Amino acid sequence: MTATAEPSAKPVDLFSPEVVADPFGWYARLREEPLPDTGTLNIGTMMGGPDMWLATRYEDVLRVLTDPRFLTNPPEDSPLADIRAGVFKAMDFPEDLIPWMANKLNTADGEDHTRLRKLVSYALTARRVNQLRPRVEQITGDLLDKMAEQGKDGSPVDLVEEYCFPLPVTVICELVGIDEADRADWHAWGNAMATMDGPNIPPALRKCIDLSRELMARRRVEPKDDLVTALVQAQAADNNRVSDDEIVGILFSLVTAGHQTTTYLIGNSVLFLLEHPDQLARLKADPSLWPQAVRELQRLGPLQFTQARFPSEDVELGGVTIPKGTPVAPLLLAANTDPRRFPEPDKLIVDRPDSDSHLSFGKGIHRCLGQHLAYQEAEVALHGLFSRFPDVSLAVPREEIPWILRPAFTRTRTLPLKLA
């Protein structure tokens, strides 16, 4: 018998300072201590918005991500408003910009999603990413040279600013086709989003919308071997295939997601490994473990949850009947540290045999297109750093490292290192 689908318990606000400051502790609590009448699920909210169900256990989260009845948009006849609108309202976000904040590749359903994903997927296949590896290694080597020069007298070097950010943003901008002169503006946009800097998000967003339209116009006249050119050429061949606004949305999706998450992964991974010298020693002794280690680091990585899903019909999940259109948030970090799926889930084990079954990149039709690129960049970056500077260490005590604490992500604001 399933539990009631109208719980009355007070929901946990995933945006609250307490949860943001201790995501591992709170998500474990939500996973292991479900409320009465909620089955294996829990109840939450975002910025005081509508209540939603929280999927926290691995099997429940996997089901939400892969069951085609769970949509990324509420059904048209749903009695509940889209919870995303409430978040933007709480941020006092300009209404005309709200549509641009939707990650079109991730929020589209059905035929729209298939159409847009096909337009982009060719640029991020495993084969094409493998062809990019020499360029990724070249960029990595150049950045390591620059860091060596900066730290040659023993001065601390900020790994986030000098390495974690420039590597992935350079790679994704080259792949997509963002010209070098415009990258500082995309950096400003990414930083505003990463820090939830409300006042600076709208102007940065407007600037990047204008830059995207200018870039599309340039590529129509001067095509290059990049994704923007491919998109405008696909549009020229068939006007119904993709609109100008959809191209802009694709650029936002790829450039933002393509550098933010990898930036966070590299920085957090360096800190994890410095805190686990036994695991770092294993990687130095056997570099063939790096690909597997990166997957394990991603399992414990910065991404905490992904966008809510809305059932297209009444669905039973975790012992509860979820009414049609009721939001369900998949808590990825809770699933990735579920002891039912991962033995000793809070430990970093670089050769964990099943680490690739983590859910950080999603599953099903919305699985992250850039996962192969993220893995490759992190592997090259981490192996390169610890090979070039085998005695690298923190330049400040661990407790003095500043963190950016925001919903969905946790990362170091800076990471000062001594390279000697």
Side-chain angles (χ1 to χ4, degrees):
M1 188 173 89
T2 60
T4 175
E6 300 297 337
S8 58
K10 183 178 179 181
V12 173
D13 192 335
L14 298 182
F15 281 53
S16 69
E18 296 83 7
V19 176
V20 172
D22 182 23
F24 280 91
W26 270 96
Y27 284 26
R29 194 178 313 166
L30 290 170
R31 183 188 62 235
E32 302 303 331
E33 300 175 12
L35 296 170
D37 298 327
T38 62
T40 61
L41 307 182
N42 223 305
I43 310 158
T45 184
M46 293 184 183
M47 289 188 171
D51 290 1
M52 58 185 177
W53 291 97
L54 303 180
T56 59
R57 300 189 182 184
Y58 186 92
E59 292 303 326
D60 291 339
V61 173
L62 181 63
R63 169 89 178 282
V64 173
L65 296 175
T66 56
D67 189 324
R69 293 176 296 177
F70 284 99
L71 307 176
T72 57
N73 294 283
E76 290 184 3
D77 57 349
S78 172
L80 292 176
D82 190 338
I83 60 173
R84 291 170 295 205
V87 172
F88 292 127
K89 183 177 181 181
M91 293 172 61
D92 197 24
F93 205 80
E95 285 193 22
D96 66 302
L97 291 179
I98 290 176
W100 295 104
M101 293 294 290
N103 182 333
K104 187 69 173 176
L105 281 174
N106 285 340
T107 58
D109 290 308
E111 294 180 0
D112 266 353
H113 174 260
T114 302
R115 171 177 58 87
L116 294 172
R117 195 172 176 96
K118 281 183 178 179
L119 284 166
V120 178
S121 59
Y122 90 95
L124 291 165
T125 61
R127 178 182 177 186
R128 186 167 174 84
V129 168
N130 287 336
Q131 292 172 344
L132 281 174
R133 190 178 184 103
R135 178 59 180 147
V136 174
E137 292 173 343
Q138 179 186 4
I139 297 169
T140 299
D142 292 343
L143 292 172
L144 291 170
D145 289 344
K146 181 181 176 183
M147 289 169 57
E149 182 65 22
Q150 290 176 330
K152 65 181 180 181
D153 60 354
S155 299
V157 176
D158 178 13
L159 191 77
V160 173
E161 186 64 25
E162 303 299 335
Y163 196 60
C164 302
F165 171 76
L167 172 59
V169 78
T170 301
V171 172
I172 195 64
C173 283
E174 288 188 4
L175 181 67
V176 170
I178 305 297
D179 292 328
E180 190 167 354
D182 297 336
R183 292 176 191 172
D185 290 300
W186 285 93
H187 185 183
W189 154 254
N191 276 346
M193 285 297 296
T195 58
M196 295 293 284
D197 185 359
N200 285 321
I201 290 176
L205 176 56
R206 293 187 197 278
K207 178 65 174 177
C208 288
I209 291 172
D210 291 341
L211 289 174
S212 298
R213 296 195 185 284
E214 292 168 7
L215 177 60
M216 290 158 57
R218 286 199 300 273
R219 290 297 184 267
R220 290 186 176 107
V221 178
E222 300 175 358
K224 292 187 177 182
D225 182 19
D226 57 36
L227 181 60
V228 178
T229 299
L231 291 172
V232 297
Q233 289 178 344
Q235 183 189 58
D238 181 357
N239 235 357
N240 295 320
R241 194 170 182 192
V242 63
S243 69
D244 279 4
D245 284 355
E246 287 174 334
I247 293 177
V248 174
I250 288 171
L251 297 187
F252 270 95
S253 172
L254 293 179
V255 175
T256 304
H259 82 261
Q260 276 193 355
T261 52
T262 310
T263 294
Y264 306 161
L265 172 61
I266 296 171
N268 289 5
S269 295
V270 170
L271 187 57
F272 268 137
L273 290 169
L274 291 176
E275 292 179 324
H276 295 81
D278 60 324
Q279 298 299 301
L280 180 56
R282 297 188 63 195
L283 291 166
K284 291 178 179 179
D286 184 2
S288 69
L289 291 176
W290 274 111
Q292 194 171 358
V294 166
R295 285 151 176 78
E296 170 72 347
L297 289 160
Q298 180 68 64
R299 181 181 70 85
L300 298 170
L303 188 59
Q304 299 168 15
F305 57 82
T306 188
Q307 61 189 342
R309 301 297 203 269
F310 304 85
S312 59
E313 60 185 59
D314 291 358
V315 176
E316 184 177 338
L317 177 71
V320 176
T321 298
I322 308 293
K324 175 182 178 179
T326 303
V328 182
L331 303 191
L332 305 180
L333 182 61
N336 286 342
T337 52
D338 186 345
R340 300 161 189 79
R341 182 65 185 80
F342 300 101
E344 298 182 287
D346 296 327
K347 288 184 64 175
L348 176 66
I349 304 173
V350 294
D351 60 348
R352 185 184 292 273
D354 58 350
S355 57
D356 200 27
S357 58
H358 69 75
L359 302 179
S360 295
F361 288 121
K363 290 286 185 182
I365 63 171
H366 287 285
R367 186 180 178 94
C368 177
L369 279 167
Q371 61 176 317
H372 301 300
L373 184 59
Y375 280 149
Q376 182 191 91
E377 289 176 336
E379 178 194 339
V380 171
L382 294 170
H383 187 193
L385 175 73
F386 287 108
S387 296
R388 181 73 173 273
F389 307 113
D391 298 321
V392 64
S393 61
L394 294 178
V396 299
R398 171 66 172 79
E399 60 272 14
E400 293 182 14
I401 295 173
W403 288 81
I404 293 176
L405 301 177
R406 55 160 285 193
F409 291 101
T410 302
R411 72 169 176 94
T412 58
R413 184 182 298 276
T414 63
L415 189 58
L417 301 179
K418 285 187 176 181
L419 304 180

